[in-house]
Amino acid sequence: PGLSHSSGAAAEAALADGAPKACTKHLYDALSHLSDVRSLVLHLLGQQQQQQEQRATPEAENEGEDFADTQSTQVFLSQILASAEEATASGERALREVGVAFQELFVQMHEVSRDRELWAHRYLATQELARSA
């Protein structure tokens, strides 16, 4: 399965424009988002630990705080989910770009191999012609 003209041209343009740099940028973006996820989780775990320590006080005093803590936890969980989705999207972009770059390289390798084979046949034909003459 070869590349269509437009995807081949896009791959060539991506290689010319520095696809490895773009892929590296996407991977760094993914790592950054994963680092954000880690920080949020650590913060959330710290809050939960503080909540557990505060629960030693009477329940009646903590009912309003429990509701606020639940909302705070939901906000952090939504931020964690958003960061994870962003990291996933960055990784997918990088993989698509790497895939396009590798497809173009495979097409070029096939062309080089075909050219080598043609040159070998020409050389053998020239040798045979020289022997027969």
Side-chain angles (χ1 to χ4, degrees), residues 25-93:
K25 180 195 175 302
H26 291 309
L27 291 175
Y28 278 122
D29 287 345
L31 289 174
S32 173
H33 290 296
L34 289 174
S35 177
D36 292 345
V37 168
R38 181 181 177 273
S39 297
L40 290 169
V41 168
L42 289 174
H43 182 71
L44 185 61
L45 289 174
Q47 278 190 337
Q48 285 180 342
Q49 189 175 32
Q50 287 176 353
Q51 288 174 1
Q52 287 174 352
E53 291 171 359
Q54 290 175 354
R55 287 195 178 139
T57 61
E59 296 270 336
E61 296 174 8
N62 291 332
E63 285 180 16
E65 291 175 10
D66 285 343
F67 180 73
D69 290 340
T70 301
Q71 284 183 328
S72 175
T73 300
Q74 288 176 349
V75 168
F76 279 111
L77 290 176
S78 67
Q79 289 175 344
I80 289 170
L81 181 60
S83 292
E85 288 173 354
E86 195 63 37
T88 301
S90 292
E92 288 173 352
R93 279 191 305 270

Side-chain angles (χ1 to χ4, degrees), residues 10-26 94 97-98 100-101:
E12 189 173 322
L15 284 174
D17 292 340
K21 288 181 183 178
C23 292
T24 302
K25 180 195 175 302
H26 291 309
E97 289 176 9
V98 166
V100 168

